[in-house]
Short mmCIF file of all heavy atoms in Angstrom, two decimals:
data_model
loop_
_atom_site.label_atom_id
_atom_site.label_comp_id
_atom_site.label_asym_id
_atom_site.label_seq_id
_atom_site.Cartn_x
_atom_site.Cartn_y
_atom_site.Cartn_z
N PRO B 1 -50.76 34.13 -36.36
CA PRO B 1 -51.85 34.22 -37.33
C PRO B 1 -52.48 32.86 -37.57
O PRO B 1 -51.80 31.83 -37.58
CB PRO B 1 -51.14 34.73 -38.60
CG PRO B 1 -49.86 35.31 -38.13
CD PRO B 1 -49.47 34.56 -36.90
N LYS B 2 -53.81 32.85 -37.72
CA LYS B 2 -54.52 31.61 -37.97
C LYS B 2 -54.36 31.20 -39.44
O LYS B 2 -54.42 32.05 -40.33
CB LYS B 2 -56.00 31.77 -37.64
CG LYS B 2 -56.27 31.98 -36.16
CD LYS B 2 -57.75 32.08 -35.90
CE LYS B 2 -58.03 32.27 -34.41
NZ LYS B 2 -59.49 32.39 -34.16
N PRO B 3 -54.19 29.90 -39.72
CA PRO B 3 -54.12 29.45 -41.11
C PRO B 3 -55.43 29.72 -41.83
O PRO B 3 -56.50 29.76 -41.22
CB PRO B 3 -53.87 27.94 -40.98
CG PRO B 3 -53.36 27.74 -39.59
CD PRO B 3 -53.98 28.81 -38.76
N SER B 4 -55.36 29.90 -43.13
CA SER B 4 -56.55 30.20 -43.90
C SER B 4 -57.49 29.00 -43.96
O SER B 4 -58.69 29.14 -44.07
CB SER B 4 -56.16 30.61 -45.33
OG SER B 4 -55.35 29.60 -45.92
N THR B 5 -56.95 27.77 -43.88
CA THR B 5 -57.78 26.57 -43.80
C THR B 5 -57.18 25.67 -42.73
O THR B 5 -56.08 25.91 -42.23
CB THR B 5 -57.81 25.82 -45.15
OG1 THR B 5 -56.51 25.28 -45.40
CG2 THR B 5 -58.23 26.73 -46.29
N ALA B 6 -57.90 24.62 -42.41
CA ALA B 6 -57.46 23.74 -41.32
C ALA B 6 -56.14 23.05 -41.64
O ALA B 6 -55.36 22.75 -40.74
CB ALA B 6 -58.54 22.70 -41.04
N ASP B 7 -55.86 22.77 -42.92
CA ASP B 7 -54.68 22.00 -43.29
C ASP B 7 -53.55 22.84 -43.89
O ASP B 7 -52.47 22.32 -44.12
CB ASP B 7 -55.06 20.91 -44.29
CG ASP B 7 -56.04 19.91 -43.69
OD1 ASP B 7 -55.90 19.62 -42.48
OD2 ASP B 7 -56.94 19.45 -44.41
N SER B 8 -53.83 24.11 -44.16
CA SER B 8 -52.82 24.92 -44.84
C SER B 8 -51.86 25.56 -43.85
O SER B 8 -52.18 25.71 -42.67
CB SER B 8 -53.49 26.01 -45.68
OG SER B 8 -54.22 26.88 -44.85
N THR B 9 -50.69 25.90 -44.32
CA THR B 9 -49.67 26.57 -43.50
C THR B 9 -49.27 27.87 -44.18
O THR B 9 -48.97 27.88 -45.38
CB THR B 9 -48.43 25.68 -43.35
OG1 THR B 9 -48.82 24.45 -42.73
CG2 THR B 9 -47.38 26.37 -42.49
N ILE B 10 -49.28 28.96 -43.41
CA ILE B 10 -48.91 30.25 -43.97
C ILE B 10 -47.40 30.31 -44.13
O ILE B 10 -46.65 29.96 -43.22
CB ILE B 10 -49.39 31.40 -43.07
CG1 ILE B 10 -50.93 31.43 -43.03
CG2 ILE B 10 -48.86 32.74 -43.55
CD1 ILE B 10 -51.49 32.49 -42.12
N MET B 11 -46.96 30.75 -45.29
CA MET B 11 -45.53 30.90 -45.57
C MET B 11 -45.13 32.36 -45.39
O MET B 11 -45.80 33.26 -45.89
CB MET B 11 -45.22 30.45 -47.00
CG MET B 11 -45.48 28.97 -47.26
SD MET B 11 -44.40 27.90 -46.28
CE MET B 11 -42.82 28.31 -47.00
N PHE B 12 -44.05 32.62 -44.64
CA PHE B 12 -43.55 33.97 -44.42
C PHE B 12 -42.23 34.14 -45.16
O PHE B 12 -41.47 33.17 -45.34
CB PHE B 12 -43.33 34.25 -42.94
CG PHE B 12 -44.60 34.30 -42.14
CD1 PHE B 12 -44.85 33.36 -41.16
CD2 PHE B 12 -45.53 35.30 -42.36
CE1 PHE B 12 -46.02 33.40 -40.41
CE2 PHE B 12 -46.70 35.36 -41.61
CZ PHE B 12 -46.95 34.40 -40.64
N SER B 13 -41.96 35.36 -45.54
CA SER B 13 -40.67 35.68 -46.16
C SER B 13 -39.58 35.57 -45.11
O SER B 13 -39.85 35.64 -43.90
CB SER B 13 -40.69 37.10 -46.73
OG SER B 13 -40.78 38.03 -45.67
N PRO B 14 -38.32 35.41 -45.53
CA PRO B 14 -37.22 35.36 -44.54
C PRO B 14 -37.20 36.57 -43.61
O PRO B 14 -36.90 36.45 -42.42
CB PRO B 14 -35.98 35.29 -45.43
CG PRO B 14 -36.46 34.65 -46.69
CD PRO B 14 -37.85 35.17 -46.90
N GLN B 15 -37.52 37.76 -44.16
CA GLN B 15 -37.52 38.97 -43.32
C GLN B 15 -38.62 38.88 -42.25
O GLN B 15 -38.39 39.22 -41.09
CB GLN B 15 -37.75 40.20 -44.19
CG GLN B 15 -37.74 41.51 -43.39
CD GLN B 15 -37.93 42.73 -44.27
OE1 GLN B 15 -37.97 42.62 -45.49
NE2 GLN B 15 -38.05 43.89 -43.66
N LYS B 16 -39.81 38.39 -42.66
CA LYS B 16 -40.91 38.26 -41.71
C LYS B 16 -40.58 37.20 -40.66
O LYS B 16 -40.89 37.37 -39.47
CB LYS B 16 -42.18 37.87 -42.47
CG LYS B 16 -43.43 37.83 -41.59
CD LYS B 16 -43.77 39.21 -41.06
CE LYS B 16 -45.07 39.20 -40.28
NZ LYS B 16 -45.41 40.53 -39.72
N GLN B 17 -39.94 36.13 -41.07
CA GLN B 17 -39.54 35.11 -40.12
C GLN B 17 -38.59 35.68 -39.07
O GLN B 17 -38.68 35.38 -37.88
CB GLN B 17 -38.87 33.94 -40.85
CG GLN B 17 -39.82 33.15 -41.74
CD GLN B 17 -39.09 32.13 -42.59
OE1 GLN B 17 -37.89 31.91 -42.41
NE2 GLN B 17 -39.80 31.50 -43.50
N GLN B 18 -37.65 36.55 -39.52
CA GLN B 18 -36.69 37.18 -38.61
C GLN B 18 -37.41 38.10 -37.63
O GLN B 18 -37.11 38.13 -36.43
CB GLN B 18 -35.66 37.98 -39.41
CG GLN B 18 -34.52 38.56 -38.58
CD GLN B 18 -33.56 37.48 -38.12
OE1 GLN B 18 -33.42 36.46 -38.76
NE2 GLN B 18 -32.92 37.71 -36.98
N GLU B 19 -38.41 38.85 -38.14
CA GLU B 19 -39.18 39.76 -37.28
C GLU B 19 -39.95 38.99 -36.22
O GLU B 19 -40.00 39.40 -35.06
CB GLU B 19 -40.13 40.59 -38.14
CG GLU B 19 -39.44 41.62 -39.03
CD GLU B 19 -40.42 42.32 -39.96
OE1 GLU B 19 -41.61 41.97 -39.92
OE2 GLU B 19 -39.98 43.21 -40.73
N LEU B 20 -40.57 37.88 -36.63
CA LEU B 20 -41.33 37.08 -35.67
C LEU B 20 -40.42 36.47 -34.61
O LEU B 20 -40.78 36.40 -33.43
CB LEU B 20 -42.10 35.98 -36.40
CG LEU B 20 -43.27 36.45 -37.27
CD1 LEU B 20 -43.83 35.28 -38.06
CD2 LEU B 20 -44.35 37.08 -36.42
N ALA B 21 -39.24 36.02 -35.03
CA ALA B 21 -38.29 35.44 -34.08
C ALA B 21 -37.83 36.48 -33.06
O ALA B 21 -37.74 36.21 -31.86
CB ALA B 21 -37.09 34.86 -34.82
N ALA B 22 -37.57 37.70 -33.57
CA ALA B 22 -37.13 38.78 -32.66
C ALA B 22 -38.24 39.14 -31.70
O ALA B 22 -38.01 39.39 -30.51
CB ALA B 22 -36.72 40.00 -33.48
N ALA B 23 -39.51 39.17 -32.20
CA ALA B 23 -40.64 39.54 -31.35
C ALA B 23 -40.86 38.51 -30.25
O ALA B 23 -41.13 38.84 -29.09
CB ALA B 23 -41.91 39.68 -32.19
N SER B 24 -40.73 37.22 -30.60
CA SER B 24 -40.94 36.18 -29.60
C SER B 24 -39.83 36.20 -28.54
O SER B 24 -40.08 35.95 -27.36
CB SER B 24 -41.00 34.80 -30.26
OG SER B 24 -39.77 34.51 -30.90
N THR B 25 -38.61 36.52 -28.96
CA THR B 25 -37.50 36.63 -28.01
C THR B 25 -37.71 37.78 -27.05
O THR B 25 -37.51 37.67 -25.84
CB THR B 25 -36.16 36.81 -28.76
OG1 THR B 25 -35.96 35.70 -29.62
CG2 THR B 25 -35.00 36.92 -27.77
N THR B 26 -38.15 38.92 -27.59
CA THR B 26 -38.43 40.09 -26.75
C THR B 26 -39.52 39.79 -25.74
O THR B 26 -39.43 40.16 -24.56
CB THR B 26 -38.85 41.29 -27.63
OG1 THR B 26 -37.79 41.59 -28.53
CG2 THR B 26 -39.15 42.50 -26.76
N ALA B 27 -40.58 39.11 -26.20
CA ALA B 27 -41.68 38.77 -25.30
C ALA B 27 -41.20 37.85 -24.18
O ALA B 27 -41.60 37.99 -23.03
CB ALA B 27 -42.81 38.11 -26.08
N ALA B 28 -40.33 36.91 -24.54
CA ALA B 28 -39.82 35.98 -23.53
C ALA B 28 -39.00 36.71 -22.49
O ALA B 28 -39.06 36.41 -21.30
CB ALA B 28 -38.98 34.89 -24.19
N ARG B 29 -38.21 37.69 -22.92
CA ARG B 29 -37.36 38.43 -21.99
C ARG B 29 -38.16 39.31 -21.04
O ARG B 29 -37.65 39.75 -20.03
CB ARG B 29 -36.35 39.28 -22.77
CG ARG B 29 -35.26 38.47 -23.45
CD ARG B 29 -34.24 39.35 -24.12
NE ARG B 29 -33.22 38.58 -24.80
CZ ARG B 29 -32.15 38.09 -24.20
NH1 ARG B 29 -31.96 38.29 -22.92
NH2 ARG B 29 -31.26 37.40 -24.88
N LYS B 30 -39.41 39.59 -21.37
CA LYS B 30 -40.24 40.43 -20.51
C LYS B 30 -40.85 39.65 -19.35
O LYS B 30 -41.55 40.21 -18.53
CB LYS B 30 -41.34 41.10 -21.34
CG LYS B 30 -40.81 42.20 -22.24
CD LYS B 30 -41.93 42.93 -22.95
CE LYS B 30 -41.38 44.06 -23.81
NZ LYS B 30 -42.45 44.78 -24.54
N LYS B 31 -40.62 38.33 -19.32
CA LYS B 31 -41.10 37.57 -18.19
C LYS B 31 -40.34 38.02 -16.95
O LYS B 31 -39.17 38.37 -17.02
CB LYS B 31 -40.91 36.07 -18.44
CG LYS B 31 -41.84 35.53 -19.51
CD LYS B 31 -41.75 34.03 -19.63
CE LYS B 31 -42.74 33.53 -20.67
NZ LYS B 31 -42.72 32.05 -20.78
#
């Protein structure tokens, strides 16, 4: 996701962070 401004950083909940980590791992394994 793109940040809302050039200098801001989007904060995710721990659950969302876990989901993103799992998704990136799955994508990597599909290589």
Side-chain angles (χ1 to χ4, degrees):
K2 293 182 179 179
S4 55
T5 68
D7 297 324
S8 63
T9 301
I10 295 177
M11 296 296 294
F12 292 114
S13 67
Q15 181 179 355
K16 185 65 175 178
Q17 292 172 7
Q18 187 72 27
E19 291 174 358
L20 290 173
S24 62
T25 301
T26 300
R29 288 184 181 276
K30 288 185 178 179
K31 290 187 177 182

